[in-house]
């Protein structure tokens, strides 16, 4: 059982007097920052605020900070080495950047496969590329049974003409976890590059890029208790092969060739702190040995968090399903809980989502409404793009009291 009070002690936001009693159900858009991430960022800004590559102490320490964060990200994703980790502004910027680099080897008529279950960050970059290079786009449809992409269509869509398959690990509206490994196996058979958006999955599950069999995978530290920063993993052989868009003096090897310009070192240091926080959960609440590897500690920590978040989902679903005004878009059965992350979307029969969102804000409950940058999912579900859904998402610091406060506030719409 996760001790939420202990976890909350690691998040300074819960000690801010003006935010007393605030409920943060907005984690899918951005989680609160943990102390370890904040402290690492501040330390990098005060004690070693220097550019990299110098012979003076602040620069040397800055480089060590960067290496530590890269190794931590490699442990988080089970990369085979730290060189496979590329930092960037956010997942969207990294995806635009990497899609351009991949595009250098694509030709008119080549095919790319996208899904109707993805966030725009893993659709628009590829559509823009398709426009520029006259590529053919094939779509993996939305599946109304799983609320993710339709896996049964993958084998017929991915052919020897397919060069890239871009897909999401978890849908940011419905919460469904997609079978990435199955699609990756099909794509690799055809020699296609597999690009995974793991932004929504990363805070709620164990990622093992080697087991997944994908080629590139991106996530966001700001949904993982860290500062605003994107993290990308790429298979080393592919990163070496891709021709990067970079200034001529930038080192021509991964990961440096993809990290153009001066890095946000303070944010990257914070990423390292956020991942160390996950390892701390593993040691403190997951029973992982103190002298074990950081990877093992992270995995134990994630398992503790997953169990906690699944209990909360069960609790909120029971409350929401009892309200006849509510329509939930996503997997609801108890045996499906392991197939979803704790992000839930719903609409009310006679109340616009914006009104629900405003009502909740007045109660101190922070949640999102709208299309959440997933117009394809909204379109598949037949929902209005502007008003969209009400979306709640839980995090490791969410408590049962938060859920009960939300359900009480929902009584208003009975
Ligand atoms: C599933 C998914 N992919 C990508 C993104 C974009 O991430 P970033 O903010 O790092 O660009 C988001 C942001 O909400 C998301 O939910």
């Amino acid at each position: 059982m996760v001790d939420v009070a202990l976890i909350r002690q690691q998040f300074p936001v819960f000690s801010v007097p003006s935010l007393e009693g605030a409920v943060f159900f907005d984690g899918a858009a951005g989680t609160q920052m943990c102390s370890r991430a904040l402290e690492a960022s501040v330390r990098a800004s005060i004690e070693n605020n220097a550019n990299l590559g110098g012979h003076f102490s602040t620069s040397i320490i800055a480089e060590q900070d960067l290496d530590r964060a890269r190794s931590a990200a490699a442990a988080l994703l089970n990369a085979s080495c730290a060189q496979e980790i590329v930092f960037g502004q956010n997942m969207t910027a990294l995806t635009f950047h990497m899609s351009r680099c991949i595009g250098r080897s694509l030709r008119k008529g080549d095919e790319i496969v996208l899904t109707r279950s993805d966030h725009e960050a893993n659709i628009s970059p590829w559509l823009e590329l398709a426009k520029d290079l006259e590529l053919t786009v094939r779509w993996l449809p939305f599946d109304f049974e799983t609320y993710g992409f339709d896996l049964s269509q993958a084998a017929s869509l991915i052919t020897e003409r397919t060069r890239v398959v871009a897909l999401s690990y978890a849908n940011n509206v419905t919460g469904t976890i997609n079978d990435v490994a199955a699609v990756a196996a099909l794509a690799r058979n055809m020699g296609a590059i597999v690009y995974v958006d793991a932004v929504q999955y990363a805070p709620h599950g164990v990622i093992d890029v080697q087991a997944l069999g994908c080629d590139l995978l991106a996530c966001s530290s700001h949904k993982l208790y860290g500062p605003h920063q994107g993290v990308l993993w790429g298979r080393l052989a592919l990163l070496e092969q891709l021709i990067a868009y970079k200034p001529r003096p930038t080192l021509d090897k991964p990961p440096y060739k993809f990290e153009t310009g001066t890095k946000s070192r303070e944010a990257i240091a914070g990423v390292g702190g956020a991942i160390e926080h996950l390892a701390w959960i593993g040691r403190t609440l997951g029973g992982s040995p103190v002298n074990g590897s950081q990877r093992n500690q992270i995995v134990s920590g994630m398992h503790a968090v997953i169990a906690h978040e699944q209990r909360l989902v069960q609790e909120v679903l029971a409350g929401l399903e009892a309200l006849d005004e509510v329509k939930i878009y996503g997997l609801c059965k108890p045996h499906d809980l392991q197939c979803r992350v704790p992000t839930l979307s719903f609409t009310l029969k006679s109340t616009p989502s914006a009104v629900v969102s405003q009502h909740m804000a007045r109660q101190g409950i922070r949640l999102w409404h709208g299309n959440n940058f997933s117009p394809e999912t909204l379109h598949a579900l037949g929902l209005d793009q502007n008003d969209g859904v009400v979306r709640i998402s839980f995090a490791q610091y969410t408590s049962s009291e938060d859920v009960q406060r939300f359900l009480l506030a929902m009584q208003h719409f009975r």
Side-chain angles (χ1 to χ4, degrees):
M1 191 85 161
V2 157
D3 179 347
V4 179
L6 184 63
I7 290 189
R8 285 187 176 207
Q9 284 171 16
Q10 307 297 315
F11 287 85
V13 66
F14 292 108
S15 313
V16 175
S18 61
L19 289 172
E20 202 186 330
V23 173
F24 297 99
F25 279 3
D26 58 341
T31 47
Q32 300 305 308
M33 269 176 84
C34 62
S35 300
R36 281 178 173 77
L38 287 158
E39 285 158 11
S41 281
V42 170
R43 225 176 13 252
S45 306
I46 296 175
E47 294 174 21
N48 48 73
N49 192 5
N51 214 333
L52 306 168
H55 292 289
F56 44 97
S57 67
T58 43
S59 177
I60 292 166
I61 297 169
E63 191 100 38
Q64 290 165 351
D65 250 13
L66 177 63
D67 291 346
R68 200 165 31 249
R70 226 187 272 288
S71 298
L76 175 75
L77 304 175
N78 202 28
S80 63
C81 63
Q83 273 169 284
E84 293 188 326
I85 302 298
V86 177
F87 291 112
Q89 185 190 351
N90 50 42
M91 181 277 178
T92 308
L94 279 166
T95 305
F96 268 106
H97 185 61
M98 297 313 288
S99 59
R100 262 61 216 156
C101 299
I102 291 169
R104 286 186 134 165
S105 65
L106 303 186
R107 299 287 166 265
K108 180 177 172 177
D110 282 347
E111 294 189 6
I112 58 174
V113 174
L114 310 180
T115 95
R116 302 279 189 201
S117 165
D118 268 66
H119 184 282
E120 274 305 293
N122 204 23
I123 292 180
S124 294
W126 305 106
L127 288 182
E128 294 288 347
L129 189 70
K131 218 183 320 166
D132 288 351
L133 302 179
E134 297 181 56
L135 308 174
T136 301
V137 180
R138 306 257 177 240
W139 290 93
L140 203 48
F142 189 83
D143 179 357
F144 296 94
E145 290 218 339
T146 63
Y147 290 93
F149 59 65
D150 188 350
L151 184 59
S152 70
Q153 305 288 312
S156 58
L157 277 176
I158 300 170
T159 68
E160 64 283 350
R161 289 186 301 280
T162 309
R163 303 295 309 279
V164 177
V165 179
L167 72 167
S168 60
Y169 211 149
N171 183 300
N172 74 310
V173 173
T174 64
T176 289
I177 298 171
N178 290 307
D179 192 345
V180 172
V183 177
L186 289 169
R188 279 172 77 80
N189 252 349
M190 297 296 170
I193 292 173
V194 181
Y195 190 99
V196 181
D197 170 359
V199 169
Q200 287 301 326
Y201 184 75
H204 311 296
V206 175
I207 296 180
D208 181 341
V209 287
Q210 299 185 57
L212 278 181
C214 57
D215 298 289
L216 297 146
L217 177 143
C219 55
S220 317
S221 147
H222 44 285
K223 323 255 179 182
L224 201 54
Y225 314 109
H228 291 88
Q229 181 72 191
V231 181
L232 176 112
W233 166 85
R235 192 179 294 286
L236 188 59
L238 177 63
L239 294 183
E240 279 170 344
Q241 184 194 321
L242 290 174
I243 302 168
Y245 284 92
K246 67 172 198 61
R248 288 181 296 177
T250 300
L251 272 182
D252 197 17
K253 58 180 189 180
Y256 314 104
K257 67 181 185 181
F258 300 106
E259 294 175 342
T260 51
T262 310
K263 294 179 226 308
S264 178
R265 283 186 322 87
E266 60 278 29
I268 295 172
V271 176
I275 297 170
E276 180 40 35
H277 165 79
L278 300 176
W280 169 83
I281 294 188
R283 294 192 297 274
T284 315
L285 302 169
S288 197
V290 189
N291 54 0
S293 71
Q294 192 183 30
R295 169 73 185 169
N296 285 345
Q297 293 173 358
I298 292 166
V299 171
S300 305
M302 289 313 297
H303 284 305
V305 167
I306 291 165
H308 168 63
E309 292 176 342
Q310 283 186 358
R311 269 192 296 273
L312 294 172
V313 171
Q314 221 163 351
E315 190 176 332
V316 82
L317 280 174
L320 281 178
E321 283 176 322
L323 302 171
D324 38 86
E325 275 277 301
V326 173
K327 178 163 174 47
I328 301 167
Y329 301 91
L331 297 169
C332 294
K333 304 225 167 66
H335 63 263
D336 283 334
L337 285 189
Q338 75 279 11
C339 303
R340 59 143 50 253
V341 295
T343 296
L344 281 101
S345 293
F346 63 88
T347 52
L348 292 189
K349 249 184 230 139
S350 46
T351 313
S353 298
V355 172
V356 180
S357 171
Q358 285 155 8
H359 168 71
M360 292 295 169
R362 284 192 294 273
Q363 319 281 315
I365 299 169
R366 290 144 172 83
L367 48 73
W368 285 103
H369 82 281
N371 70 21
N372 297 291
F373 259 57
S374 278
E376 293 294 341
T377 295
L378 270 277
H379 183 71
L381 293 170
L383 293 167
D384 178 76
Q385 291 289 342
N386 291 321
D387 197 50
V389 290
V390 180
R391 185 181 74 174
I392 57 171
S393 48
F394 302 153
Q396 54 178 241
Y397 45 68
T398 305
S399 67
S400 179
E401 291 72 35
D402 289 342
V403 172
Q404 291 307 320
R405 265 191 60 198
F406 163 73
L407 290 173
L408 194 64
M410 283 297 294
Q411 298 292 326
H412 179 84
F413 302 106
R414 257 185 116 76

